[in-house]
Amino acid sequence: MGKSGRFWPLWAALLLAATMVAAGWPGLAQYDSVEQFRQVLSGRYDDWHPPVMARLWSLLHVMGGGAGPMLVLQIALYWLGLGLLAGGLARTGRSRAAALVLAIGALPGFAVWQWAVLKDVQMVAAMLATVGIVGWWRLRGERVPLVAAALAILLLGYATLVRANALFATVPLAVMLLPRRGWPTRLMLALAGMAAVLVLTPLIDADLFDAAPSGVRTTEPLFDLAAIAVRTGDADATGIDPEGIAALRRGRCVKTYFWDTLGDGPCGDAIECLASRPVGAMYLQLAYAAIRHPVAYAEHRLAHFNMTQRWLIGRGLMDGWPPSRSQPNTQGLGDPGPVASWWIVKTAVLADTPLGWPIVWVALALAALIEALCRAASPLRDLALALLISSLALEASFVAISIAADVRYHLWPMIAAGLGAILLVADARPARRMLVASSVTLALVIASAIAARAILPPAPSGYPEMLAS
């Protein structure tokens, strides 16, 4: 293939991006998007949703089009990253792997979400663009130019700020993309980086973006303490008085799926005495409760983790696919184009297949990680390792830090797992023993998930049904 022919992935990515923008304009606005756009219009920001996205939206809003400019931005970054990564593979003579990278991006379970203007999708787009920029040079063993490296750092910084838990993916990715260092050094850098993000993010939100505190940082301890209280009835350990615990039980306020029922109404009133405390005191209370009732805490967290992984659950669980229409609103945010809406509806059946179950991609990432760790360093192996560790680090964080089970929270780990596996196979054929072990593991995970859906009652398929369950 000639030199010019190796740039075909970039042209293909450009065509796919243009097609998606044309099909989906002006974008899909879900509840979170509507709330953020309301802040854009009012000029008053809070930190319930990371304000960096609303501030960026306010800058792009001068172009008009409601959610349109943000739609163009995230689709452009998404396909830029995939196109550059695929182009880097094609330039090393790996055209089949390049085609697979673009195919991952075009999978309906990933592509349909790109029409939804959401912080999760913005994070994915920025991280893919970062990986693509680095991969374009690194896959050929070349040093990343200073300007490109600065752009990659800017994009990764945006990805870190645009989702509250993004640090568990972005910091490991950044550390693994640094020039080769020993594992102890990498671990220390990752821990220091995460600590720095945790300390600096509230300051950045308040001082740089002028975002008012909303109490969002209390949702995790409230969710966990309410669950422990309902399971144990221990008022001293949880900080919720006996009357509050009785109200939580009576109102069936604690849901495995999400924390939403605890936000207001009678359920919110039941934990008001706890919710008024400083966030630091609440986390100390949670630590005390978890130590005192480790079984109850583990049962709650593992049940939620199972649901967020969509593993051993009933069929039809909600929030596995984006809606085809925007949240009704008075801010002028319209529905996506008819082609996008049609495609979302037609492909929604895939949400309840293995392609839409995060646990399947976790199993793939684990198998690929073991293979990568057994190999000698190489440009493809090193980039694959960065993707896989980033994927699994974010997934591992859901064991302890997660208050809802939407699939969109897993888009980056799922895509990164697929890309990491492609890079490894493109680098060298895995050993037969590893292929067999990986296939058996994936088969067991998928078979158990299918069996659970055949045996268990159907899961709530909508928000009202979940609240009433």
Side-chain angles (χ1 to χ4, degrees):
M1 184 182 292
K3 204 177 251 190
S4 61
R6 292 180 180 176
F7 290 94
W8 67 264
L10 298 178
W11 293 110
L14 179 62
L15 178 61
L16 288 164
T19 301
M20 286 196 65
V21 169
W25 182 272
L28 173 65
Q30 294 187 245
Y31 178 81
D32 290 2
S33 318
V34 173
E35 289 302 306
Q36 287 180 290
F37 193 57
R38 182 178 288 119
Q39 294 182 25
V40 170
L41 296 178
S42 68
R44 295 188 297 273
Y45 302 88
D46 64 46
D47 64 358
W48 190 270
H49 303 289
V52 65
M53 178 176 167
R55 283 293 190 177
L56 177 60
W57 200 340
S58 71
L59 296 177
L60 299 180
H61 181 53
V62 297
M63 305 163 102
M70 295 296 279
L71 173 78
V72 173
L73 174 68
Q74 67 190 33
I75 289 178
L77 289 177
Y78 180 80
W79 285 110
L80 172 67
L82 291 168
L84 287 173
L85 185 60
L89 288 166
R91 291 203 301 163
T92 62
R94 296 176 172 91
S95 292
R96 290 183 181 178
L100 287 174
V101 165
L102 296 178
I104 283 284
L107 279 176
F110 303 144
V112 293
W113 285 104
Q114 304 314 307
W115 286 314
V117 177
L118 290 165
K119 55 194 175 187
D120 319 274
V121 181
Q122 293 267 313
M123 169 191 156
V124 168
M127 292 187 73
L128 279 176
T130 299
V131 171
I133 290 169
V134 173
W136 176 259
W137 281 278
R138 287 274 184 87
L139 291 179
R140 295 186 67 180
E142 299 172 356
R143 186 173 182 176
V144 180
L146 186 60
V147 173
L151 179 57
I153 291 170
L154 179 65
L155 288 165
L156 204 56
Y158 177 67
T160 302
L161 293 174
V162 83
R163 262 215 64 83
N165 66 342
L167 75 158
F168 298 110
T170 58
V171 173
L173 181 68
V175 169
M176 294 304 298
L177 289 177
L178 291 174
R180 291 173 191 163
R181 300 176 186 273
W183 286 106
T185 303
R186 283 173 168 169
L187 179 60
M188 285 172 32
L189 286 172
L191 293 176
M194 290 180 188
V197 171
L198 287 172
V199 171
L200 292 175
T201 296
L203 301 177
I204 293 171
D205 289 348
D207 297 337
L208 182 60
F209 299 127
D210 195 26
S214 63
V216 67
R217 292 177 177 85
T218 67
T219 54
E220 183 66 55
L222 284 175
F223 181 49
D224 293 344
L225 284 166
I228 296 172
V230 166
R231 282 172 164 79
T232 66
D234 192 337
D236 176 63
T238 61
I240 302 174
D241 58 58
E243 293 78 12
I245 295 174
L248 290 174
R249 288 171 170 169
R250 187 168 55 250
R252 295 186 295 175
C253 297
V254 175
K255 307 294 183 185
T256 301
Y257 185 83
F258 56 14
W259 95 287
D260 292 31
T261 47
L262 300 167
D264 51 28
C267 295
D269 295 340
I271 56 172
E272 186 176 5
C273 59
L274 180 63
S276 60
R277 296 185 187 179
V279 64
M282 292 177 63
Y283 272 104
L284 288 175
Q285 186 79 55
L286 174 58
Y288 174 61
I291 292 170
R292 190 158 172 176
H293 298 289
V295 174
Y297 176 68
E299 286 176 347
H300 158 64
R301 291 309 314 175
L302 291 175
H304 177 74
F305 184 71
N306 173 63
M307 188 163 281
T308 197
Q309 292 298 321
R310 298 184 178 244
W311 188 7
L312 306 178
I313 61 171
R315 66 184 183 277
L317 184 62
M318 61 184 279
D319 293 329
W321 214 254
S324 60
R325 293 186 177 278
S326 292
Q327 175 86 10
N329 65 89
T330 58
Q331 283 74 46
L333 295 174
D335 295 324
V339 174
S341 294
W342 173 83
W343 187 240
I344 290 171
V345 171
K346 290 299 181 182
T347 56
V349 66
L350 297 175
D352 217 8
T353 69
L355 290 175
W357 304 338
I359 187 62
V360 173
W361 298 89
V362 169
L364 175 64
L366 281 170
L369 177 64
I370 294 170
E371 172 69 15
L373 291 173
C374 293
R375 292 189 184 183
S378 72
L380 272 76
R381 176 264 191 188
D382 292 348
L383 188 56
L385 194 59
L387 286 163
L388 296 168
I389 288 178
S390 174
S391 170
L392 290 170
L394 182 55
E395 288 293 350
S397 75
F398 290 124
V399 174
I401 305 174
S402 172
I403 59 169
D406 304 44
V407 159
R408 60 189 170 102
Y409 304 148
H410 300 269
L411 288 175
W412 168 253
M414 293 163 76
I415 293 172
L419 294 177
I422 291 170
L423 289 173
L424 281 180
V425 174
D427 186 38
R429 182 179 175 83
R432 178 179 174 82
R433 181 173 58 184
M434 178 57 69
L435 284 174
V436 171
S438 302
S439 299
V440 170
T441 301
L442 281 170
L444 288 174
V445 168
I446 293 171
S448 59
I450 291 173
R453 284 161 173 76
I455 296 170
L456 296 174
S461 58
Y463 195 79
E465 292 85 358
M466 182 61 74
L467 291 177
S469 65

